[in-house]
Amino acid sequence: MTDERTVSDDTTLAVAPDVNAAWWQDAVVYQVYPWSFNDSDGDGIGDLAGIIERLDYLEWLGVDVVWLNPVYESPQVDNGYDISNYRAIHDQFGTMTEWERLLDGLHDRDMRLVMDLAVNHTSDEHVWFQESRRDPESRFGDYYIWRLGREADPSVHDSTPGPPGRAPPNNWESHFGGSAWAWDDCREAYYLHLYHDRQPDLNWANPAVREEIYELMEWWLEKGIDGFRLDVINLISKPEGLPDGNPDGDWVGSEHFVDGPQATAYLDELHERVLSRYDAMTVGELPDVSIQGAREYTGPDGPLDMAFSFDHVQLDFGDSGRWAIGDWSLPELKAVLSGWQTGLADGGWSALFFENHDQPRIVSRFGDDERFRHASATLFATLLLTLRGTPFVYQGQELGMTNPSFESLDALRDVDTIRNVRMLMEERGITDYDEIRELVEHRTRDNARTPMQWDATDRAGFTSGEPWMPVNPNHREINVADAQARPGSVLQFYRRLIDLRAETPTLVHGDYELLFPNHESVYAYRRRLDDETILVVLNFDDGYTSIDVPGADPDATLLLGNYDDTTTPAGPLDLRPFEARIYER
Ligand code: NOJ
């Protein structure tokens, strides 16, 4: 039962019901990107043994769960999201025995492990795909989405894939640029790939495919993992007839394959068959999901526990979408985050994040990584850890790591950026990288993938070899060793905040009330549970701002602030650049 009450003229707040909290609601998750976390064997690529070496660090930081990006066998076209064997560990990362040691190491420290699973698609090297392309009559023949395509005018030479005279079955686009269809010479048909052409989409409409997925998930759960992060899991159902999408859409076809007709039914089945039997957490990566959609996926009767949504990290998209830069404003950020906070208050649960392996560093993106790196990094930390939902911290975020610079296109590793930027350059007739450099540096997923900065030595303590991606030169100042030793560091602030959240149920479960929705510089909100009220005040400006919070209690206690000498106010709050304060009364 929920109780609705009006809290101000423009905010209606749904009050959270008494919750019988699941463990994952109270958790703070730390994301480990194995390629870049810690390399134990000097090949320049992070590995499982390297992660094991750093478990004491994660325990010290106070996080409860590790989300491990894919470590399965894979040709690594998309850094592991192209899986060729779901039950094996990729050689470069180590062995199954090391993976087991990692799981035990986490469990010994009272931490849990969430595996990342991509089952919208596999690698083209997966035996299912190899068999499917070889023999349509085999039991794998219908494991993927094959079509003969349309007849095309053979005299028209365009860039669509396929032999002369044939065109793809529809106009859907791959997220990585170009048609979502590739022609396979062996089977002489098109197959669908919403991502890279080496990541063919599985045909979830085939019950045998779903069985395979349920079995492999059960296999991992039986090995003792604590949950899954499910990659692009709302894309698994494609509508009958595969209709054309709006050609002007940002991702052509997405109105058909996002939250497709059977998506919920498939996930309900997955829940019933597998997930309901384990005390595991499931977080769905849900591109373009609406608040209502997320409520359905993650509400009390929904198949998943929590949802990654992306509205807040799309605020800086330009008119033409992701590969353009747009302006964002604080009122917009507040509106988006508050919409999700109140929208899921009485059903559903958010996975809170500002960074991950696909997003630029938040301090460079929405903060100020030059003059106010410390203040803006800790301000975002405060926001992340004081909202309702389960916070996810991406490796290096706790140091305030920044975007690096990319001198040339050759410096890029990310397949998404390389493809999309090449296409963009062709379309716009750009030959000089400098003309597009600002956009690349703003948007590329490589921003988040530079090696973790452990210390100030040459390779940042990440590897003894040549790192697969250069370390950010600012590792001399921004690194774990320094930050652990310095009480005022971003890292120490994260640690205190994680602690604070762990001992303050109001921050996890309390309701949320936005103050000053239209204020250009200040983001302030109250969290309330039973008799406790917490007030969070964040100055997003690089200048000073004074604000009078109605009903602010002069006897309020400052729980935490990102400037050392903050005191409890009587009267208006005078906030310094990117100042963040958490009060309790
Ligand atoms: C989302 C993942 O986070 C991203 O890294 C990947 O490229 C796509 N899904 C495709 O699996």
Side-chain angles (χ1 to χ4, degrees), residues 52 99 109 144 150 152 183 203 217 240 283 400 417 429 447 476-477 507 539:
I52 294 169
W99 179 87
R109 292 168 177 79
Y144 295 84
R150 310 195 243 217
W183 177 261
N203 178 18
M217 289 179 73
E240 287 284 326
V283 49
T417 315
N447 278 316
R476 306 263 178 216
E477 299 85 51
L507 289 178
N539 177 22

Side-chain angles (χ1 to χ4, degrees), residues 17-32:
D18 273 346
V19 269
N20 224 341
W23 63 264
W24 40 262
Q25 292 184 315
D26 291 294
V28 173
V29 183
Y30 186 91
Q31 184 188 348
V32 169

